[in-house]
Amino acid sequence: MSIDLEYFEVEINGRIHPIPKHEFSPCEKQLGKEGYMITIWDSNIEAAKQVIVENGIKHISIATSDLNFLLQPEFKDIEGIYINCHIKDLAPLENIKEIKFLDLRCDKKGKIDFKCFPNLKYLNCEYSKRYKNLTSLHKLESLSLDGYTETDLEEFGNFRNLTELYLIFANCQSLKGLHLLTKLQKLTLDECKKLVTLNGLGKDNAIFELKISDCRNLKDFSSLDKLNPNCDVFLNGKIYISGQDSEADQIALLVNNLHEIGCEKQIILEIQIVLETLKKNIEYNDWKKELKICVVNLNKIADKYDAIYTEEREEIISTIQYILVDYSSIEVEKNLDKFRNW
Protein backbone atom coordinates (compact mmCIF):
# COMPACT_ATOMS: atom_id res chain seq x y z
CA MET A 1 0.00 0.00 0.00
CA SER A 2 1.33 3.44 -0.91
CA ILE A 3 2.40 5.92 1.73
CA ASP A 4 0.77 9.33 1.21
CA LEU A 5 3.20 12.23 0.97
CA GLU A 6 2.55 15.84 0.06
CA TYR A 7 2.01 17.36 -3.38
CA PHE A 8 3.89 18.45 -6.43
CA GLU A 9 2.92 22.07 -7.04
CA VAL A 10 2.74 23.29 -10.63
CA GLU A 11 2.09 26.89 -11.68
CA ILE A 12 0.12 27.37 -14.90
CA ASN A 13 -1.06 30.85 -15.92
CA GLY A 14 -0.45 32.15 -12.42
CA ARG A 15 -2.47 29.42 -10.74
CA ILE A 16 -1.01 26.69 -8.51
CA HIS A 17 -2.16 23.16 -9.31
CA PRO A 18 -1.52 20.54 -6.60
CA ILE A 19 -0.63 17.04 -7.83
CA PRO A 20 -0.89 14.41 -5.03
CA LYS A 21 2.19 12.23 -4.88
CA HIS A 22 2.60 8.89 -3.14
CA GLU A 23 5.79 7.12 -2.14
CA PHE A 24 5.81 3.36 -2.61
CA SER A 25 6.01 1.02 0.37
CA PRO A 26 9.10 -1.24 0.75
CA CYS A 27 7.02 -4.18 -0.52
CA GLU A 28 6.03 -2.27 -3.67
CA LYS A 29 9.62 -1.19 -4.24
CA GLN A 30 10.66 -4.84 -4.23
CA LEU A 31 8.34 -5.32 -7.21
CA GLY A 32 10.35 -2.76 -9.16
CA LYS A 33 8.21 0.33 -8.56
CA GLU A 34 10.40 3.40 -8.42
CA GLY A 35 9.93 7.09 -7.65
CA TYR A 36 6.43 8.33 -6.96
CA MET A 37 2.88 7.69 -8.10
CA ILE A 38 0.75 10.74 -8.85
CA THR A 39 -3.03 11.08 -8.95
CA ILE A 40 -4.66 12.56 -12.04
CA TRP A 41 -8.16 13.96 -12.34
CA ASP A 42 -9.82 16.02 -15.07
CA SER A 43 -8.75 19.39 -13.71
CA ASN A 44 -5.02 18.70 -13.32
CA ILE A 45 -4.08 16.81 -16.51
CA GLU A 46 -1.94 19.66 -17.90
CA ALA A 47 -0.11 20.08 -14.60
CA ALA A 48 0.37 16.30 -14.35
CA LYS A 49 2.05 16.26 -17.77
CA GLN A 50 4.58 18.79 -16.54
CA VAL A 51 5.26 16.79 -13.37
CA ILE A 52 5.75 13.59 -15.39
CA VAL A 53 8.28 15.21 -17.71
CA GLU A 54 10.21 17.08 -14.99
CA ASN A 55 10.30 14.27 -12.39
CA GLY A 56 10.38 11.13 -14.52
CA ILE A 57 7.11 9.85 -13.04
CA LYS A 58 6.30 6.29 -14.20
CA HIS A 59 3.14 5.50 -12.19
CA ILE A 60 -0.24 7.22 -12.29
CA SER A 61 -3.49 6.72 -10.39
CA ILE A 62 -6.43 7.76 -12.54
CA ALA A 63 -9.66 9.40 -11.32
CA THR A 64 -10.74 11.05 -14.56
CA SER A 65 -13.96 10.80 -16.58
CA ASP A 66 -12.16 9.26 -19.58
CA LEU A 67 -8.72 8.10 -20.72
CA ASN A 68 -8.26 10.19 -23.84
CA PHE A 69 -5.39 12.12 -22.26
CA LEU A 70 -3.30 8.92 -22.44
CA LEU A 71 -2.99 9.48 -26.20
CA GLN A 72 -0.72 12.46 -25.53
CA PRO A 73 3.05 11.79 -25.89
CA GLU A 74 3.89 12.68 -22.28
CA PHE A 75 2.20 9.45 -21.14
CA LYS A 76 3.70 6.96 -23.61
CA ASP A 77 6.43 5.75 -21.23
CA ILE A 78 4.22 5.24 -18.16
CA GLU A 79 4.88 1.83 -16.52
CA GLY A 80 2.07 1.65 -13.96
CA ILE A 81 -1.60 2.60 -14.30
CA TYR A 82 -4.14 2.24 -11.49
CA ILE A 83 -7.81 2.90 -12.29
CA ASN A 84 -10.42 2.97 -9.55
CA CYS A 85 -13.31 4.78 -11.23
CA HIS A 86 -15.98 4.15 -13.86
CA ILE A 87 -14.40 4.26 -17.31
CA LYS A 88 -16.41 2.99 -20.28
CA ASP A 89 -13.79 3.40 -23.02
CA LEU A 90 -10.51 1.63 -22.19
CA ALA A 91 -9.10 1.79 -25.73
CA PRO A 92 -6.65 4.67 -24.98
CA LEU A 93 -4.85 2.32 -22.59
CA GLU A 94 -3.63 0.37 -25.58
CA ASN A 95 -1.42 3.36 -26.47
CA ILE A 96 0.80 2.66 -23.44
CA LYS A 97 2.98 -0.13 -24.80
CA GLU A 98 5.57 -0.23 -21.99
CA ILE A 99 3.12 -0.72 -19.15
CA LYS A 100 4.20 -3.27 -16.51
CA PHE A 101 1.65 -2.70 -13.73
CA LEU A 102 -2.09 -2.49 -14.44
CA ASP A 103 -4.90 -2.25 -11.89
CA LEU A 104 -8.36 -2.21 -13.49
CA ARG A 105 -10.83 -1.72 -10.65
CA CYS A 106 -13.49 -0.21 -12.86
CA ASP A 107 -16.74 -1.45 -14.36
CA LYS A 108 -16.47 -4.15 -17.02
CA LYS A 109 -18.19 -2.26 -19.85
CA GLY A 110 -14.99 -1.26 -21.59
CA LYS A 111 -13.12 -3.42 -24.11
CA ILE A 112 -9.40 -4.05 -24.05
CA ASP A 113 -6.93 -6.25 -25.90
CA PHE A 114 -4.14 -7.50 -23.65
CA LYS A 115 -1.97 -8.27 -26.69
CA CYS A 116 -1.14 -4.57 -26.63
CA PHE A 117 0.79 -5.04 -23.37
CA PRO A 118 3.59 -7.54 -24.11
CA ASN A 119 5.64 -6.37 -21.09
CA LEU A 120 2.86 -6.49 -18.48
CA LYS A 121 4.04 -8.17 -15.27
CA TYR A 122 1.35 -7.36 -12.69
CA LEU A 123 -2.40 -7.36 -13.35
CA ASN A 124 -5.34 -6.86 -11.00
CA CYS A 125 -8.79 -6.93 -12.62
CA GLU A 126 -12.24 -8.44 -12.79
CA TYR A 127 -12.71 -11.14 -15.41
CA SER A 128 -14.67 -10.00 -18.44
CA LYS A 129 -15.37 -11.47 -21.87
CA ARG A 130 -14.74 -7.95 -23.17
CA TYR A 131 -11.10 -8.27 -22.14
CA LYS A 132 -9.45 -10.10 -25.02
CA ASN A 133 -6.31 -12.26 -25.14
CA LEU A 134 -5.65 -12.41 -21.40
CA THR A 135 -3.55 -15.53 -21.93
CA SER A 136 -1.22 -13.67 -24.30
CA LEU A 137 0.48 -12.08 -21.28
CA HIS A 138 3.48 -14.40 -21.28
CA LYS A 139 5.60 -12.13 -19.03
CA LEU A 140 2.93 -11.90 -16.33
CA GLU A 141 4.36 -12.56 -12.84
CA SER A 142 1.41 -11.67 -10.61
CA LEU A 143 -2.31 -12.01 -11.42
CA SER A 144 -5.28 -11.11 -9.21
CA LEU A 145 -8.48 -12.11 -10.97
CA ASP A 146 -12.04 -11.63 -9.71
CA GLY A 147 -14.97 -13.63 -11.09
CA TYR A 148 -13.25 -16.03 -13.50
CA THR A 149 -16.04 -18.02 -15.21
CA GLU A 150 -14.41 -21.14 -16.69
CA THR A 151 -14.71 -24.54 -14.93
CA ASP A 152 -10.95 -25.19 -14.86
CA LEU A 153 -7.69 -23.27 -15.31
CA GLU A 154 -6.30 -24.96 -18.42
CA GLU A 155 -5.82 -21.70 -20.30
CA PHE A 156 -3.63 -20.46 -17.45
CA GLY A 157 -0.95 -22.82 -18.76
CA ASN A 158 0.34 -19.93 -20.87
CA PHE A 159 1.37 -17.97 -17.79
CA ARG A 160 4.73 -19.75 -17.49
CA ASN A 161 6.35 -16.84 -15.60
CA LEU A 162 3.56 -16.47 -13.04
CA THR A 163 4.79 -16.52 -9.43
CA GLU A 164 1.65 -15.24 -7.67
CA LEU A 165 -2.00 -16.04 -8.43
CA TYR A 166 -5.04 -14.71 -6.55
CA LEU A 167 -8.46 -16.06 -7.57
CA ILE A 168 -11.56 -14.50 -6.01
CA PHE A 169 -15.13 -15.69 -6.72
CA ALA A 170 -13.87 -18.01 -9.46
CA ASN A 171 -16.25 -20.64 -10.89
CA CYS A 172 -13.56 -23.28 -11.42
CA GLN A 173 -14.34 -26.78 -10.12
CA SER A 174 -10.72 -27.91 -10.22
CA LEU A 175 -7.25 -26.38 -10.64
CA LYS A 176 -6.49 -28.33 -13.80
CA GLY A 177 -3.84 -26.43 -15.74
CA LEU A 178 -1.85 -25.07 -12.81
CA HIS A 179 0.59 -28.00 -12.93
CA LEU A 180 2.19 -26.24 -15.92
CA LEU A 181 3.09 -23.19 -13.83
CA THR A 182 6.48 -24.34 -12.54
CA LYS A 183 7.37 -20.87 -11.20
CA LEU A 184 4.17 -20.44 -9.17
CA GLN A 185 5.09 -19.65 -5.53
CA LYS A 186 1.95 -18.14 -3.97
CA LEU A 187 -1.63 -19.23 -4.60
CA THR A 188 -4.73 -17.72 -2.95
CA LEU A 189 -8.24 -19.12 -3.48
CA ASP A 190 -10.95 -16.95 -1.96
CA GLU A 191 -14.68 -17.73 -2.07
CA CYS A 192 -14.40 -20.11 -5.03
CA LYS A 193 -17.79 -21.68 -4.24
CA LYS A 194 -17.74 -24.33 -6.99
CA LEU A 195 -14.23 -25.64 -6.29
CA VAL A 196 -14.47 -29.30 -5.22
CA THR A 197 -10.90 -30.54 -5.71
CA LEU A 198 -7.34 -29.23 -5.74
CA ASN A 199 -6.47 -31.53 -8.65
CA GLY A 200 -4.19 -29.60 -10.94
CA LEU A 201 -1.56 -28.88 -8.32
CA GLY A 202 1.53 -31.04 -8.69
CA LYS A 203 5.10 -31.72 -7.75
CA ASP A 204 6.31 -29.41 -10.52
CA ASN A 205 4.82 -26.37 -8.78
CA ALA A 206 7.18 -24.30 -6.64
CA ILE A 207 4.37 -23.21 -4.28
CA PHE A 208 5.51 -22.33 -0.77
CA GLU A 209 2.29 -20.57 0.33
CA LEU A 210 -1.28 -21.68 -0.34
CA LYS A 211 -4.25 -19.83 1.17
CA ILE A 212 -7.80 -21.17 0.88
CA SER A 213 -10.74 -19.19 2.26
CA ASP A 214 -14.47 -19.94 2.21
CA CYS A 215 -14.32 -22.52 -0.60
CA ARG A 216 -17.15 -24.38 1.07
CA ASN A 217 -17.57 -27.21 -1.46
CA LEU A 218 -13.90 -28.17 -1.47
CA LYS A 219 -13.63 -31.82 -0.37
CA ASP A 220 -10.61 -33.30 -2.12
CA PHE A 221 -7.30 -32.21 -0.60
CA SER A 222 -5.28 -35.17 -1.91
CA SER A 223 -3.21 -33.03 -4.30
CA LEU A 224 -1.59 -31.30 -1.34
CA ASP A 225 0.55 -34.39 -0.86
CA LYS A 226 2.21 -33.61 -4.21
CA LEU A 227 3.40 -30.17 -3.12
CA ASN A 228 6.69 -29.26 -1.52
CA PRO A 229 6.51 -30.54 2.09
CA ASN A 230 7.69 -27.11 3.24
CA CYS A 231 4.67 -25.41 1.65
CA ASP A 232 2.61 -23.42 4.18
CA VAL A 233 -1.08 -24.17 3.71
CA PHE A 234 -3.76 -22.00 5.35
CA LEU A 235 -7.39 -23.06 5.42
CA ASN A 236 -9.83 -20.34 6.50
CA GLY A 237 -7.03 -18.50 8.26
CA LYS A 238 -5.70 -21.53 10.15
CA ILE A 239 -2.60 -23.59 9.42
CA TYR A 240 -3.62 -26.78 7.64
CA ILE A 241 -1.97 -30.02 8.73
CA SER A 242 -1.66 -32.91 6.26
CA GLY A 243 -4.69 -35.17 6.56
CA GLN A 244 -6.64 -32.44 8.30
CA ASP A 245 -9.65 -32.74 6.03
CA SER A 246 -11.21 -34.73 8.88
CA GLU A 247 -12.87 -32.74 11.63
CA ALA A 248 -11.14 -34.88 14.26
CA ASP A 249 -7.77 -33.43 13.30
CA GLN A 250 -9.17 -29.92 13.56
CA ILE A 251 -10.40 -30.69 17.07
CA ALA A 252 -6.96 -32.07 17.96
CA LEU A 253 -5.42 -28.84 16.67
CA LEU A 254 -7.83 -26.88 18.87
CA VAL A 255 -6.79 -28.93 21.91
CA ASN A 256 -3.13 -28.12 21.25
CA ASN A 257 -3.92 -24.43 20.78
CA LEU A 258 -5.91 -24.27 24.01
CA HIS A 259 -2.99 -25.90 25.86
CA GLU A 260 -0.64 -23.25 24.45
CA ILE A 261 -2.99 -20.48 25.56
CA GLY A 262 -2.85 -21.88 29.09
CA CYS A 263 -6.38 -23.19 29.36
CA GLU A 264 -6.95 -25.70 32.21
CA LYS A 265 -6.84 -29.40 31.25
CA GLN A 266 -10.30 -30.21 32.62
CA ILE A 267 -11.87 -27.34 30.66
CA ILE A 268 -10.10 -28.48 27.48
CA LEU A 269 -11.32 -32.02 27.97
CA GLU A 270 -14.94 -30.95 28.39
CA ILE A 271 -14.76 -28.65 25.33
CA GLN A 272 -13.22 -31.48 23.30
CA ILE A 273 -16.07 -33.87 24.25
CA VAL A 274 -18.72 -31.31 23.27
CA LEU A 275 -17.16 -30.67 19.86
CA GLU A 276 -16.57 -34.34 19.10
CA THR A 277 -20.26 -34.94 19.90
CA LEU A 278 -21.22 -32.17 17.45
CA LYS A 279 -19.00 -33.66 14.77
CA LYS A 280 -20.54 -37.10 15.22
CA ASN A 281 -24.19 -36.08 15.48
CA ILE A 282 -24.40 -33.78 12.43
CA GLU A 283 -23.95 -36.85 10.25
CA TYR A 284 -27.43 -38.03 11.26
CA ASN A 285 -29.34 -35.04 12.64
CA ASP A 286 -30.23 -31.46 11.73
CA TRP A 287 -27.07 -29.38 12.01
CA LYS A 288 -28.83 -26.33 13.48
CA LYS A 289 -30.34 -28.42 16.27
CA GLU A 290 -26.96 -30.02 17.03
CA LEU A 291 -25.20 -26.66 16.93
CA LYS A 292 -27.66 -25.27 19.48
CA ILE A 293 -27.02 -28.25 21.79
CA CYS A 294 -23.27 -27.76 21.36
CA VAL A 295 -23.38 -24.04 22.17
CA VAL A 296 -25.67 -24.58 25.18
CA ASN A 297 -23.18 -27.11 26.56
CA LEU A 298 -20.31 -24.71 25.97
CA ASN A 299 -22.32 -22.05 27.80
CA LYS A 300 -22.49 -24.40 30.78
CA ILE A 301 -18.71 -24.89 30.69
CA ALA A 302 -18.19 -21.13 30.51
CA ASP A 303 -20.50 -20.56 33.51
CA LYS A 304 -19.11 -23.45 35.53
CA TYR A 305 -15.47 -22.44 35.26
CA ASP A 306 -15.91 -18.74 34.51
CA ALA A 307 -13.82 -19.50 31.43
CA ILE A 308 -13.77 -19.10 27.62
CA TYR A 309 -12.25 -15.69 27.10
CA THR A 310 -11.30 -13.92 23.87
CA GLU A 311 -8.48 -16.22 22.72
CA GLU A 312 -10.33 -19.42 23.62
CA ARG A 313 -13.53 -18.10 22.04
CA GLU A 314 -11.89 -17.38 18.68
CA GLU A 315 -10.26 -20.83 18.59
CA ILE A 316 -13.53 -22.62 19.45
CA ILE A 317 -15.60 -20.65 16.94
CA SER A 318 -13.06 -21.34 14.20
CA THR A 319 -13.21 -25.08 14.96
CA ILE A 320 -17.02 -25.13 14.92
CA GLN A 321 -17.02 -23.32 11.58
CA TYR A 322 -14.61 -25.92 10.23
CA ILE A 323 -16.77 -28.81 11.47
CA LEU A 324 -19.79 -27.17 9.77
CA VAL A 325 -17.89 -26.18 6.62
CA ASP A 326 -20.55 -27.87 4.43
CA TYR A 327 -23.12 -25.33 5.54
CA SER A 328 -23.54 -21.61 5.01
CA SER A 329 -20.85 -19.75 6.96
CA ILE A 330 -23.26 -16.85 7.42
CA GLU A 331 -25.94 -19.16 8.90
CA VAL A 332 -23.41 -20.87 11.16
CA GLU A 333 -22.16 -17.53 12.50
CA LYS A 334 -25.73 -16.29 12.96
CA ASN A 335 -26.73 -19.36 15.00
CA LEU A 336 -23.54 -19.20 17.05
CA ASP A 337 -24.22 -15.59 18.03
CA LYS A 338 -27.85 -16.41 18.78
CA PHE A 339 -27.17 -19.03 21.46
CA ARG A 340 -23.74 -18.41 22.97
CA ASN A 341 -23.15 -16.36 26.15
CA TRP A 342 -19.34 -16.45 26.05
Side-chain angles (χ1 to χ4, degrees), residues 276-290 324 327:
E276 286 177 347
T277 301
L278 171 66
K279 178 244 174 183
K280 178 182 178 181
N281 288 349
I282 59 170
E283 296 181 18
Y284 312 102
N285 302 321
D286 177 69
W287 72 267
K288 290 183 180 179
K289 176 183 175 182
E290 294 301 327
L324 298 173
Y327 308 100

Side-chain angles (χ1 to χ4, degrees), residues 40-55:
I40 300 178
W41 51 78
D42 290 331
S43 62
N44 72 355
I45 292 175
E46 289 303 314
K49 287 162 54 177
Q50 185 173 327
V51 169
I52 288 171
V53 172
E54 293 179 355
N55 297 275

Side-chain angles (χ1 to χ4, degrees), residues 100-269:
K100 296 178 181 178
F101 304 85
L102 181 58
D103 195 330
L104 287 177
R105 285 176 287 179
C106 50
D107 57 41
K108 299 182 289 183
K109 295 181 180 179
K111 296 181 180 180
I112 195 168
D113 187 348
F114 285 114
K115 274 190 175 179
C116 297
F117 312 120
N119 297 313
L120 194 65
K121 292 185 176 182
Y122 301 89
L123 174 63
N124 178 10
C125 72
E126 291 185 69
Y127 182 74
S128 172
K129 294 292 187 182
R130 291 173 172 265
Y131 298 169
K132 303 298 182 183
N133 297 309
L134 175 66
T135 58
S136 69
L137 299 172
H138 301 300
K139 293 186 179 180
L140 204 62
E141 296 178 9
S142 177
L143 173 62
S144 180
L145 194 59
D146 191 333
Y148 185 68
T149 58
E150 303 301 322
T151 57
D152 60 41
L153 305 177
E154 283 198 271
E155 66 177 0
F156 282 42
N158 290 330
F159 299 137
R160 299 301 178 93
N161 287 300
L162 204 65
T163 60
E164 299 182 0
L165 175 61
Y166 306 86
L167 291 176
I168 306 102
F169 296 114
N171 284 339
C172 54
Q173 299 173 17
S174 76
L175 303 181
K176 186 178 180 182
L178 290 193
H179 66 285
L180 297 172
L181 307 185
T182 57
K183 295 183 180 181
L184 189 63
Q185 298 177 4
K186 293 184 178 182
L187 174 61
T188 298
L189 304 167
D190 191 1
E191 296 200 61
C192 301
K193 307 296 186 184
K194 296 185 178 180
L195 187 67
V196 295
T197 176
L198 296 178
N199 285 350
L201 297 179
K203 57 180 175 33
D204 293 330
N205 296 127
I207 297 175
F208 62 77
E209 181 180 279
L210 171 60
K211 294 182 178 180
I212 305 170
S213 300
D214 205 12
C215 299
R216 64 184 59 167
N217 291 308
L218 180 59
K219 305 297 181 187
D220 180 9
F221 293 81
S222 59
S223 292
L224 292 180
D225 294 334
K226 302 175 184 177
L227 296 178
N228 185 323
N230 295 320
C231 176
D232 291 327
V233 180
F234 299 88
L235 182 63
N236 296 323
K238 297 291 182 179
I239 296 177
Y240 176 93
I241 300 173
S242 180
Q244 192 179 295
D245 45 322
S246 70
E247 290 83 355
D249 288 323
Q250 187 68 13
I251 294 172
L253 183 61
L254 169 69
V255 169
N256 289 333
N257 290 342
L258 292 179
H259 276 297
E260 290 180 4
I261 290 172
C263 194
E264 294 180 20
K265 290 184 179 180
Q266 182 60 32
I267 299 175
I268 295 174
L269 177 60

Side-chain angles (χ1 to χ4, degrees), residues 291-309:
L291 176 58
K292 180 179 179 180
I293 294 171
C294 170
V295 175
V296 168
N297 287 328
L298 289 172
N299 289 344
K300 292 177 181 178
I301 294 173
D303 292 338
K304 179 180 177 182
Y305 295 101
D306 189 23
I308 306 185
Y309 302 109

Side-chain angles (χ1 to χ4, degrees), residues 308-324:
I308 306 185
Y309 302 109
T310 301
E311 287 186 272
E312 292 92 338
R313 180 176 67 243
E314 296 305 319
E315 293 288 348
I316 293 169
I317 289 176
S318 177
T319 303
I320 291 174
Q321 288 173 330
Y322 189 95
I323 292 172
L324 298 173

Side-chain angles (χ1 to χ4, degrees), residues 287 291-292 295-296 299 313-314 317 320-321 324 329-342:
W287 72 267
L291 176 58
K292 180 179 179 180
V295 175
V296 168
N299 289 344
R313 180 176 67 243
E314 296 305 319
I317 289 176
I320 291 174
Q321 288 173 330
L324 298 173
S329 57
I330 295 175
E331 284 295 309
V332 171
E333 186 173 348
K334 181 174 157 185
N335 280 273
L336 270 168
D337 291 340
K338 181 179 179 181
F339 299 115
R340 69 181 175 88
N341 66 6
W342 35 274

